[in-house]
PDB file of all heavy atoms in Angstrom:
ATOM      1  N   GLY A   6      38.429 -56.550 -16.043  1.00 65.00           N
ATOM      2  CA  GLY A   6      38.483 -55.693 -17.277  1.00 65.00           C
ATOM      3  C   GLY A   6      37.012 -55.298 -17.629  1.00 65.00           C
ATOM      4  O   GLY A   6      36.238 -56.200 -17.836  1.00 65.00           O
ATOM      5  N   GLU A   7      36.746 -54.021 -17.968  1.00 76.00           N
ATOM      6  CA  GLU A   7      35.452 -53.588 -18.277  1.00 76.00           C
ATOM      7  C   GLU A   7      34.982 -54.184 -19.707  1.00 76.00           C
ATOM      8  O   GLU A   7      33.825 -54.543 -19.863  1.00 76.00           O
ATOM      9  CB  GLU A   7      35.459 -52.068 -18.418  1.00 76.00           C
ATOM     10  CG  GLU A   7      35.493 -51.351 -16.973  1.00 76.00           C
ATOM     11  CD  GLU A   7      34.311 -51.643 -16.112  1.00 76.00           C
ATOM     12  OE1 GLU A   7      33.205 -51.906 -16.697  1.00 76.00           O
ATOM     13  OE2 GLU A   7      34.399 -51.502 -15.000  1.00 76.00           O
ATOM     14  N   SER A   8      35.885 -54.205 -20.653  1.00 80.00           N
ATOM     15  CA  SER A   8      35.451 -54.673 -22.011  1.00 80.00           C
ATOM     16  C   SER A   8      34.960 -56.005 -21.993  1.00 80.00           C
ATOM     17  O   SER A   8      33.849 -56.261 -22.549  1.00 80.00           O
ATOM     18  CB  SER A   8      36.681 -54.598 -22.896  1.00 80.00           C
ATOM     19  OG  SER A   8      36.477 -55.090 -24.224  1.00 80.00           O
ATOM     20  N   GLU A   9      35.650 -57.088 -21.461  1.00 83.00           N
ATOM     21  CA  GLU A   9      35.215 -58.421 -21.537  1.00 83.00           C
ATOM     22  C   GLU A   9      33.942 -58.547 -20.543  1.00 83.00           C
ATOM     23  O   GLU A   9      33.015 -59.293 -20.937  1.00 83.00           O
ATOM     24  CB  GLU A   9      36.286 -59.374 -20.891  1.00 83.00           C
ATOM     25  CG  GLU A   9      37.332 -59.642 -21.940  1.00 83.00           C
ATOM     26  CD  GLU A   9      36.987 -60.065 -23.173  1.00 83.00           C
ATOM     27  OE1 GLU A   9      36.065 -60.907 -23.235  1.00 83.00           O
ATOM     28  OE2 GLU A   9      37.485 -59.663 -24.238  1.00 83.00           O
ATOM     29  N   PHE A  10      33.840 -58.010 -19.463  1.00 88.00           N
ATOM     30  CA  PHE A  10      32.703 -57.987 -18.535  1.00 88.00           C
ATOM     31  C   PHE A  10      31.439 -57.480 -19.356  1.00 88.00           C
ATOM     32  O   PHE A  10      30.413 -58.031 -19.195  1.00 88.00           O
ATOM     33  CB  PHE A  10      32.891 -57.259 -17.339  1.00 88.00           C
ATOM     34  CG  PHE A  10      31.717 -57.151 -16.413  1.00 88.00           C
ATOM     35  CD1 PHE A  10      31.301 -58.288 -15.671  1.00 88.00           C
ATOM     36  CD2 PHE A  10      30.946 -55.988 -16.332  1.00 88.00           C
ATOM     37  CE1 PHE A  10      30.176 -58.365 -14.872  1.00 88.00           C
ATOM     38  CE2 PHE A  10      29.793 -56.003 -15.527  1.00 88.00           C
ATOM     39  CZ  PHE A  10      29.418 -57.151 -14.844  1.00 88.00           C
ATOM     40  N   ASP A  11      31.569 -56.363 -19.969  1.00 89.00           N
ATOM     41  CA  ASP A  11      30.510 -55.771 -20.701  1.00 89.00           C
ATOM     42  C   ASP A  11      29.987 -56.714 -21.849  1.00 89.00           C
ATOM     43  O   ASP A  11      28.791 -56.822 -22.072  1.00 89.00           O
ATOM     44  CB  ASP A  11      30.934 -54.351 -21.216  1.00 89.00           C
ATOM     45  CG  ASP A  11      31.021 -53.344 -20.201  1.00 89.00           C
ATOM     46  OD1 ASP A  11      30.592 -53.585 -19.048  1.00 89.00           O
ATOM     47  OD2 ASP A  11      31.671 -52.184 -20.477  1.00 89.00           O
ATOM     48  N   LYS A  12      30.886 -57.320 -22.420  1.00 89.00           N
ATOM     49  CA  LYS A  12      30.561 -58.264 -23.566  1.00 89.00           C
ATOM     50  C   LYS A  12      29.638 -59.397 -23.002  1.00 89.00           C
ATOM     51  O   LYS A  12      28.691 -59.853 -23.613  1.00 89.00           O
ATOM     52  CB  LYS A  12      31.871 -58.785 -24.222  1.00 89.00           C
ATOM     53  CG  LYS A  12      32.531 -57.849 -25.168  1.00 89.00           C
ATOM     54  CD  LYS A  12      33.689 -58.421 -25.847  1.00 89.00           C
ATOM     55  CE  LYS A  12      34.568 -57.364 -26.598  1.00 89.00           C
ATOM     56  NZ  LYS A  12      35.880 -57.957 -27.174  1.00 89.00           N
ATOM     57  N   VAL A  13      30.163 -59.982 -21.896  1.00 92.00           N
ATOM     58  CA  VAL A  13      29.410 -61.052 -21.264  1.00 92.00           C
ATOM     59  C   VAL A  13      28.028 -60.591 -20.838  1.00 92.00           C
ATOM     60  O   VAL A  13      27.077 -61.324 -21.045  1.00 92.00           O
ATOM     61  CB  VAL A  13      30.215 -61.678 -20.068  1.00 92.00           C
ATOM     62  CG1 VAL A  13      29.362 -62.703 -19.286  1.00 92.00           C
ATOM     63  CG2 VAL A  13      31.468 -62.339 -20.631  1.00 92.00           C
ATOM     64  N   LYS A  14      28.033 -59.490 -20.206  1.00 93.00           N
ATOM     65  CA  LYS A  14      26.714 -58.931 -19.656  1.00 93.00           C
ATOM     66  C   LYS A  14      25.710 -58.721 -20.777  1.00 93.00           C
ATOM     67  O   LYS A  14      24.517 -58.998 -20.787  1.00 93.00           O
ATOM     68  CB  LYS A  14      27.014 -57.659 -18.869  1.00 93.00           C
ATOM     69  CG  LYS A  14      25.829 -57.208 -18.128  1.00 93.00           C
ATOM     70  CD  LYS A  14      26.126 -56.060 -17.138  1.00 93.00           C
ATOM     71  CE  LYS A  14      25.059 -55.527 -16.391  1.00 93.00           C
ATOM     72  NZ  LYS A  14      25.374 -54.312 -15.517  1.00 93.00           N
ATOM     73  N   ALA A  15      26.314 -58.186 -21.907  1.00 94.00           N
ATOM     74  CA  ALA A  15      25.396 -57.824 -23.044  1.00 94.00           C
ATOM     75  C   ALA A  15      24.955 -59.072 -23.801  1.00 94.00           C
ATOM     76  O   ALA A  15      23.801 -59.148 -24.177  1.00 94.00           O
ATOM     77  CB  ALA A  15      26.216 -56.931 -24.084  1.00 94.00           C
ATOM     78  N   PHE A  16      25.824 -60.197 -23.841  1.00 95.00           N
ATOM     79  CA  PHE A  16      25.446 -61.320 -24.393  1.00 95.00           C
ATOM     80  C   PHE A  16      24.290 -62.024 -23.643  1.00 95.00           C
ATOM     81  O   PHE A  16      23.323 -62.478 -24.198  1.00 95.00           O
ATOM     82  CB  PHE A  16      26.627 -62.337 -24.440  1.00 95.00           C
ATOM     83  CG  PHE A  16      26.437 -63.636 -24.978  1.00 95.00           C
ATOM     84  CD1 PHE A  16      26.203 -63.836 -26.358  1.00 95.00           C
ATOM     85  CD2 PHE A  16      26.311 -64.725 -24.146  1.00 95.00           C
ATOM     86  CE1 PHE A  16      25.890 -65.230 -26.854  1.00 95.00           C
ATOM     87  CE2 PHE A  16      26.112 -66.076 -24.592  1.00 95.00           C
ATOM     88  CZ  PHE A  16      25.880 -66.223 -26.005  1.00 95.00           C
ATOM     89  N   ILE A  17      24.443 -62.064 -22.291  1.00 96.00           N
ATOM     90  CA  ILE A  17      23.436 -62.558 -21.500  1.00 96.00           C
ATOM     91  C   ILE A  17      22.065 -61.892 -21.674  1.00 96.00           C
ATOM     92  O   ILE A  17      20.998 -62.420 -21.757  1.00 96.00           O
ATOM     93  CB  ILE A  17      23.825 -62.621 -20.030  1.00 96.00           C
ATOM     94  CG1 ILE A  17      25.000 -63.524 -19.786  1.00 96.00           C
ATOM     95  CG2 ILE A  17      22.661 -63.051 -19.107  1.00 96.00           C
ATOM     96  CD1 ILE A  17      25.783 -63.467 -18.406  1.00 96.00           C
ATOM     97  N   ALA A  18      22.138 -60.537 -21.612  1.00 95.00           N
ATOM     98  CA  ALA A  18      20.964 -59.717 -21.873  1.00 95.00           C
ATOM     99  C   ALA A  18      20.330 -59.978 -23.098  1.00 95.00           C
ATOM    100  O   ALA A  18      19.044 -60.105 -23.273  1.00 95.00           O
ATOM    101  CB  ALA A  18      21.323 -58.276 -21.622  1.00 95.00           C
ATOM    102  N   SER A  19      21.055 -60.032 -24.271  1.00 95.00           N
ATOM    103  CA  SER A  19      20.507 -60.186 -25.564  1.00 95.00           C
ATOM    104  C   SER A  19      19.864 -61.526 -25.726  1.00 95.00           C
ATOM    105  O   SER A  19      18.822 -61.701 -26.328  1.00 95.00           O
ATOM    106  CB  SER A  19      21.587 -59.928 -26.617  1.00 95.00           C
ATOM    107  OG  SER A  19      22.570 -60.930 -26.569  1.00 95.00           O
ATOM    108  N   ARG A  20      20.521 -62.533 -25.150  1.00 95.00           N
ATOM    109  CA  ARG A  20      19.960 -63.880 -25.288  1.00 95.00           C
ATOM    110  C   ARG A  20      18.709 -64.055 -24.467  1.00 95.00           C
ATOM    111  O   ARG A  20      17.839 -64.858 -24.833  1.00 95.00           O
ATOM    112  CB  ARG A  20      21.024 -64.965 -24.852  1.00 95.00           C
ATOM    113  CG  ARG A  20      22.216 -65.159 -25.887  1.00 95.00           C
ATOM    114  CD  ARG A  20      21.649 -65.966 -27.042  1.00 95.00           C
ATOM    115  NE  ARG A  20      22.711 -65.988 -28.061  1.00 95.00           N
ATOM    116  CZ  ARG A  20      22.593 -66.781 -29.163  1.00 95.00           C
ATOM    117  NH1 ARG A  20      21.602 -67.498 -29.414  1.00 95.00           N
ATOM    118  NH2 ARG A  20      23.627 -66.843 -30.037  1.00 95.00           N
ATOM    119  N   SER A  21      18.643 -63.328 -23.340  1.00 94.00           N
ATOM    120  CA  SER A  21      17.418 -63.303 -22.472  1.00 94.00           C
ATOM    121  C   SER A  21      16.223 -62.738 -23.247  1.00 94.00           C
ATOM    122  O   SER A  21      15.104 -63.178 -22.993  1.00 94.00           O
ATOM    123  CB  SER A  21      17.606 -62.514 -21.285  1.00 94.00           C
ATOM    124  OG  SER A  21      18.673 -63.142 -20.469  1.00 94.00           O
ATOM    125  N   LYS A  22      16.401 -61.926 -24.202  1.00 93.00           N
ATOM    126  CA  LYS A  22      15.412 -61.174 -24.963  1.00 93.00           C
ATOM    127  C   LYS A  22      15.004 -61.994 -26.127  1.00 93.00           C
ATOM    128  O   LYS A  22      13.981 -61.544 -26.874  1.00 93.00           O
ATOM    129  CB  LYS A  22      15.706 -59.877 -25.325  1.00 93.00           C
ATOM    130  CG  LYS A  22      16.000 -58.934 -24.076  1.00 93.00           C
ATOM    131  CD  LYS A  22      16.550 -57.594 -24.535  1.00 93.00           C
ATOM    132  CE  LYS A  22      16.882 -56.717 -23.334  1.00 93.00           C
ATOM    133  NZ  LYS A  22      17.534 -55.404 -23.663  1.00 93.00           N
ATOM    134  N   GLU A  23      15.717 -62.938 -26.572  1.00 94.00           N
ATOM    135  CA  GLU A  23      15.312 -63.783 -27.736  1.00 94.00           C
ATOM    136  C   GLU A  23      13.972 -64.414 -27.668  1.00 94.00           C
ATOM    137  O   GLU A  23      13.581 -64.947 -26.571  1.00 94.00           O
ATOM    138  CB  GLU A  23      16.328 -64.933 -27.996  1.00 94.00           C
ATOM    139  CG  GLU A  23      17.720 -64.543 -28.420  1.00 94.00           C
ATOM    140  CD  GLU A  23      17.773 -64.059 -29.890  1.00 94.00           C
ATOM    141  OE1 GLU A  23      16.783 -64.285 -30.599  1.00 94.00           O
ATOM    142  OE2 GLU A  23      18.822 -63.481 -30.271  1.00 94.00           O
ATOM    143  N   PRO A  24      13.093 -64.281 -28.561  1.00 92.00           N
ATOM    144  CA  PRO A  24      11.696 -64.730 -28.489  1.00 92.00           C
ATOM    145  C   PRO A  24      11.569 -66.183 -28.486  1.00 92.00           C
ATOM    146  O   PRO A  24      10.647 -66.733 -27.947  1.00 92.00           O
ATOM    147  CB  PRO A  24      11.025 -63.971 -29.728  1.00 92.00           C
ATOM    148  CG  PRO A  24      12.101 -63.846 -30.728  1.00 92.00           C
ATOM    149  CD  PRO A  24      13.210 -63.462 -29.906  1.00 92.00           C
ATOM    150  N   ARG A  25      12.433 -66.893 -29.259  1.00 92.00           N
ATOM    151  CA  ARG A  25      12.373 -68.247 -29.321  1.00 92.00           C
ATOM    152  C   ARG A  25      13.316 -68.990 -28.329  1.00 92.00           C
ATOM    153  O   ARG A  25      14.478 -68.602 -28.082  1.00 92.00           O
ATOM    154  CB  ARG A  25      12.811 -68.801 -30.717  1.00 92.00           C
ATOM    155  CG  ARG A  25      11.924 -68.233 -31.888  1.00 92.00           C
ATOM    156  CD  ARG A  25      12.246 -68.805 -33.162  1.00 92.00           C
ATOM    157  NE  ARG A  25      13.461 -68.463 -33.633  1.00 92.00           N
ATOM    158  CZ  ARG A  25      14.229 -68.804 -34.798  1.00 92.00           C
ATOM    159  NH1 ARG A  25      13.560 -69.497 -35.623  1.00 92.00           N
ATOM    160  NH2 ARG A  25      15.406 -68.320 -35.065  1.00 92.00           N
ATOM    161  N   LEU A  26      12.725 -69.994 -27.652  1.00 91.00           N
ATOM    162  CA  LEU A  26      13.537 -70.703 -26.576  1.00 91.00           C
ATOM    163  C   LEU A  26      14.743 -71.288 -27.158  1.00 91.00           C
ATOM    164  O   LEU A  26      15.802 -71.386 -26.505  1.00 91.00           O
ATOM    165  CB  LEU A  26      12.650 -71.911 -26.012  1.00 91.00           C
ATOM    166  CG  LEU A  26      13.068 -72.493 -24.681  1.00 91.00           C
ATOM    167  CD1 LEU A  26      13.221 -71.379 -23.642  1.00 91.00           C
ATOM    168  CD2 LEU A  26      12.006 -73.497 -24.326  1.00 91.00           C
ATOM    169  N   LYS A  27      14.783 -71.726 -28.407  1.00 91.00           N
ATOM    170  CA  LYS A  27      15.917 -72.304 -28.978  1.00 91.00           C
ATOM    171  C   LYS A  27      17.217 -71.401 -29.084  1.00 91.00           C
ATOM    172  O   LYS A  27      18.258 -71.777 -29.084  1.00 91.00           O
ATOM    173  CB  LYS A  27      15.726 -72.860 -30.286  1.00 91.00           C
ATOM    174  CG  LYS A  27      15.328 -71.797 -31.392  1.00 91.00           C
ATOM    175  CD  LYS A  27      14.892 -72.432 -32.692  1.00 91.00           C
ATOM    176  CE  LYS A  27      16.056 -73.039 -33.514  1.00 91.00           C
ATOM    177  NZ  LYS A  27      17.030 -72.207 -33.863  1.00 91.00           N
ATOM    178  N   ASP A  28      16.869 -70.089 -29.119  1.00 93.00           N
ATOM    179  CA  ASP A  28      17.924 -69.078 -29.194  1.00 93.00           C
ATOM    180  C   ASP A  28      18.349 -68.494 -27.934  1.00 93.00           C
ATOM    181  O   ASP A  28      19.293 -67.719 -27.829  1.00 93.00           O
ATOM    182  CB  ASP A  28      17.514 -68.021 -30.163  1.00 93.00           C
ATOM    183  CG  ASP A  28      17.247 -68.433 -31.573  1.00 93.00           C
ATOM    184  OD1 ASP A  28      18.104 -69.316 -32.057  1.00 93.00           O
ATOM    185  OD2 ASP A  28      16.306 -68.021 -32.218  1.00 93.00           O
ATOM    186  N   GLN A  29      17.511 -68.811 -26.902  1.00 95.00           N
ATOM    187  CA  GLN A  29      17.911 -68.286 -25.599  1.00 95.00           C
ATOM    188  C   GLN A  29      19.047 -69.048 -24.931  1.00 95.00           C
ATOM    189  O   GLN A  29      19.328 -70.133 -25.358  1.00 95.00           O
ATOM    190  CB  GLN A  29      16.632 -68.365 -24.646  1.00 95.00           C
ATOM    191  CG  GLN A  29      15.551 -67.547 -25.065  1.00 95.00           C
ATOM    192  CD  GLN A  29      14.256 -67.686 -24.310  1.00 95.00           C
ATOM    193  OE1 GLN A  29      14.300 -68.278 -23.267  1.00 95.00           O
ATOM    194  NE2 GLN A  29      13.131 -67.171 -24.759  1.00 95.00           N
ATOM    195  N   LEU A  30      19.667 -68.435 -23.953  1.00 96.00           N
ATOM    196  CA  LEU A  30      20.685 -69.108 -23.066  1.00 96.00           C
ATOM    197  C   LEU A  30      19.972 -69.822 -21.989  1.00 96.00           C
ATOM    198  O   LEU A  30      19.038 -69.442 -21.370  1.00 96.00           O
ATOM    199  CB  LEU A  30      21.524 -68.009 -22.534  1.00 96.00           C
ATOM    200  CG  LEU A  30      22.879 -68.441 -21.974  1.00 96.00           C
ATOM    201  CD1 LEU A  30      23.716 -69.202 -22.972  1.00 96.00           C
ATOM    202  CD2 LEU A  30      23.653 -67.168 -21.379  1.00 96.00           C
ATOM    203  N   HIS A  31      20.376 -71.185 -21.773  1.00 97.00           N
ATOM    204  CA  HIS A  31      19.560 -71.972 -20.902  1.00 97.00           C
ATOM    205  C   HIS A  31      20.223 -72.089 -19.548  1.00 97.00           C
ATOM    206  O   HIS A  31      19.524 -72.364 -18.509  1.00 97.00           O
ATOM    207  CB  HIS A  31      19.432 -73.322 -21.543  1.00 97.00           C
ATOM    208  CG  HIS A  31      18.657 -73.235 -22.896  1.00 97.00           C
ATOM    209  ND1 HIS A  31      18.967 -74.047 -23.949  1.00 97.00           N
ATOM    210  CD2 HIS A  31      17.616 -72.439 -23.318  1.00 97.00           C
ATOM    211  CE1 HIS A  31      18.186 -73.728 -24.995  1.00 97.00           C
ATOM    212  NE2 HIS A  31      17.357 -72.803 -24.572  1.00 97.00           N
ATOM    213  N   VAL A  32      21.610 -72.057 -19.469  1.00 98.00           N
ATOM    214  CA  VAL A  32      22.220 -72.162 -18.209  1.00 98.00           C
ATOM    215  C   VAL A  32      23.676 -71.581 -18.285  1.00 98.00           C
ATOM    216  O   VAL A  32      24.148 -71.453 -19.383  1.00 98.00           O
ATOM    217  CB  VAL A  32      22.316 -73.653 -17.736  1.00 98.00           C
ATOM    218  CG1 VAL A  32      23.364 -74.420 -18.544  1.00 98.00           C
ATOM    219  CG2 VAL A  32      22.651 -73.716 -16.172  1.00 98.00           C
ATOM    220  N   ILE A  33      24.262 -71.147 -17.130  1.00 98.00           N
ATOM    221  CA  ILE A  33      25.635 -70.661 -17.117  1.00 98.00           C
ATOM    222  C   ILE A  33      26.487 -71.414 -16.209  1.00 98.00           C
ATOM    223  O   ILE A  33      26.037 -71.628 -15.030  1.00 98.00           O
ATOM    224  CB  ILE A  33      25.583 -69.135 -16.727  1.00 98.00           C
ATOM    225  CG1 ILE A  33      24.767 -68.328 -17.723  1.00 98.00           C
ATOM    226  CG2 ILE A  33      27.060 -68.651 -16.705  1.00 98.00           C
ATOM    227  CD1 ILE A  33      24.542 -66.858 -17.314  1.00 98.00           C
ATOM    228  N   TRP A  34      27.498 -71.974 -16.703  1.00 97.00           N
ATOM    229  CA  TRP A  34      28.483 -72.612 -15.823  1.00 97.00           C
ATOM    230  C   TRP A  34      29.718 -71.662 -15.564  1.00 97.00           C
ATOM    231  O   TRP A  34      30.412 -71.262 -16.601  1.00 97.00           O
ATOM    232  CB  TRP A  34      29.020 -73.849 -16.473  1.00 97.00           C
ATOM    233  CG  TRP A  34      27.976 -75.050 -16.527  1.00 97.00           C
ATOM    234  CD1 TRP A  34      26.870 -75.073 -15.765  1.00 97.00           C
ATOM    235  CD2 TRP A  34      28.091 -76.182 -17.221  1.00 97.00           C
ATOM    236  NE1 TRP A  34      26.208 -76.260 -16.106  1.00 97.00           N
ATOM    237  CE2 TRP A  34      26.857 -76.979 -16.916  1.00 97.00           C
ATOM    238  CE3 TRP A  34      28.868 -76.714 -18.110  1.00 97.00           C
ATOM    239  CZ2 TRP A  34      26.617 -78.221 -17.519  1.00 97.00           C
ATOM    240  CZ3 TRP A  34      28.686 -77.953 -18.769  1.00 97.00           C
ATOM    241  CH2 TRP A  34      27.524 -78.712 -18.391  1.00 97.00           C
ATOM    242  N   TYR A  35      29.908 -71.262 -14.331  1.00 95.00           N
ATOM    243  CA  TYR A  35      31.075 -70.400 -14.067  1.00 95.00           C
ATOM    244  C   TYR A  35      32.132 -71.133 -13.402  1.00 95.00           C
ATOM    245  O   TYR A  35      31.999 -71.699 -12.222  1.00 95.00           O
ATOM    246  CB  TYR A  35      30.529 -69.274 -13.059  1.00 95.00           C
ATOM    247  CG  TYR A  35      31.450 -68.053 -13.066  1.00 95.00           C
ATOM    248  CD1 TYR A  35      31.052 -66.813 -13.533  1.00 95.00           C
ATOM    249  CD2 TYR A  35      32.817 -68.051 -12.723  1.00 95.00           C
ATOM    250  CE1 TYR A  35      31.864 -65.717 -13.563  1.00 95.00           C
ATOM    251  CE2 TYR A  35      33.641 -66.993 -12.778  1.00 95.00           C
ATOM    252  CZ  TYR A  35      33.192 -65.873 -13.166  1.00 95.00           C
ATOM    253  OH  TYR A  35      33.981 -64.800 -13.214  1.00 95.00           O
ATOM    254  N   CYS A  36      33.330 -71.232 -13.989  1.00 93.00           N
ATOM    255  CA  CYS A  36      34.449 -72.166 -13.644  1.00 93.00           C
ATOM    256  C   CYS A  36      35.483 -71.464 -12.787  1.00 93.00           C
ATOM    257  O   CYS A  36      35.951 -70.256 -13.279  1.00 93.00           O
ATOM    258  CB  CYS A  36      35.054 -72.844 -14.822  1.00 93.00           C
ATOM    259  SG  CYS A  36      34.000 -73.827 -15.762  1.00 93.00           S
ATOM    260  N   ILE A  37      35.740 -71.876 -11.607  1.00 92.00           N
ATOM    261  CA  ILE A  37      36.828 -71.300 -10.717  1.00 92.00           C
ATOM    262  C   ILE A  37      37.725 -72.314 -10.399  1.00 92.00           C
ATOM    263  O   ILE A  37      37.401 -73.279  -9.693  1.00 92.00           O
ATOM    264  CB  ILE A  37      36.282 -70.664  -9.556  1.00 92.00           C
ATOM    265  CG1 ILE A  37      35.198 -69.524  -9.976  1.00 92.00           C
ATOM    266  CG2 ILE A  37      37.299 -70.017  -8.610  1.00 92.00           C
ATOM    267  CD1 ILE A  37      34.476 -68.973  -8.827  1.00 92.00           C
ATOM    268  N   PRO A  38      39.086 -72.317 -10.859  1.00 91.00           N
ATOM    269  CA  PRO A  38      39.966 -73.373 -10.492  1.00 91.00           C
ATOM    270  C   PRO A  38      40.563 -73.337  -9.092  1.00 91.00           C
ATOM    271  O   PRO A  38      40.729 -72.256  -8.557  1.00 91.00           O
ATOM    272  CB  PRO A  38      41.074 -73.165 -11.474  1.00 91.00           C
ATOM    273  CG  PRO A  38      41.073 -71.662 -11.832  1.00 91.00           C
ATOM    274  CD  PRO A  38      39.660 -71.292 -11.662  1.00 91.00           C
ATOM    275  N   MET A  39      40.698 -74.418  -8.487  1.00 92.00           N
ATOM    276  CA  MET A  39      41.154 -74.498  -7.158  1.00 92.00           C
ATOM    277  C   MET A  39      42.673 -74.843  -7.030  1.00 92.00           C
ATOM    278  O   MET A  39      43.196 -75.030  -5.984  1.00 92.00           O
ATOM    279  CB  MET A  39      40.392 -75.568  -6.304  1.00 92.00           C
ATOM    280  CG  MET A  39      38.946 -75.206  -6.043  1.00 92.00           C
ATOM    281  SD  MET A  39      38.856 -73.878  -4.786  1.00 92.00           S
ATOM    282  CE  MET A  39      38.565 -72.469  -5.789  1.00 92.00           C
ATOM    283  N   ASP A  40      43.393 -74.877  -8.162  1.00 88.00           N
ATOM    284  CA  ASP A  40      44.786 -75.051  -8.170  1.00 88.00           C
ATOM    285  C   ASP A  40      45.571 -73.729  -8.088  1.00 88.00           C
ATOM    286  O   ASP A  40      46.742 -73.702  -8.271  1.00 88.00           O
ATOM    287  CB  ASP A  40      45.259 -76.005  -9.360  1.00 88.00           C
ATOM    288  CG  ASP A  40      45.062 -75.292 -10.675  1.00 88.00           C
ATOM    289  OD1 ASP A  40      44.220 -74.355 -10.712  1.00 88.00           O
ATOM    290  OD2 ASP A  40      45.704 -75.667 -11.685  1.00 88.00           O
ATOM    291  N   GLU A  41      44.844 -72.681  -8.125  1.00 72.00           N
ATOM    292  CA  GLU A  41      45.540 -71.353  -8.073  1.00 72.00           C
ATOM    293  C   GLU A  41      46.253 -71.088  -6.812  1.00 72.00           C
ATOM    294  O   GLU A  41      45.792 -71.562  -5.732  1.00 72.00           O
ATOM    295  CB  GLU A  41      44.524 -70.230  -8.332  1.00 72.00           C
ATOM    296  CG  GLU A  41      43.770 -70.252  -9.684  1.00 72.00           C
ATOM    297  CD  GLU A  41      44.657 -69.880 -10.817  1.00 72.00           C
ATOM    298  OE1 GLU A  41      45.491 -69.009 -10.627  1.00 72.00           O
ATOM    299  OE2 GLU A  41      44.406 -70.238 -11.970  1.00 72.00           O
TER     300      GLU A  41
END
């Protein structure tokens, strides 16, 4: 879905531009279940 993807992409971009390290995003964990 475009809406959720755009929100995630915008969140990552905005956090990347934060001037203070404390407000930045430090790592992303992408979870994919293997019981599907």
Side-chain angles (χ1 to χ4, degrees):
E7 289 293 336
S8 176
E9 287 303 323
F10 175 75
D11 289 344
K12 287 177 183 176
V13 171
K14 192 173 180 180
F16 176 76
I17 293 171
S19 67
R20 286 286 173 175
S21 298
K22 296 173 184 175
E23 289 286 351
R25 296 184 298 180
L26 194 57
K27 67 184 291 293
D28 296 320
Q29 294 174 14
L30 195 58
H31 302 142
V32 74
I33 299 170
W34 288 344
Y35 200 119
C36 300
I37 301 176
M39 288 289 100
D40 66 339
E41 298 284 335

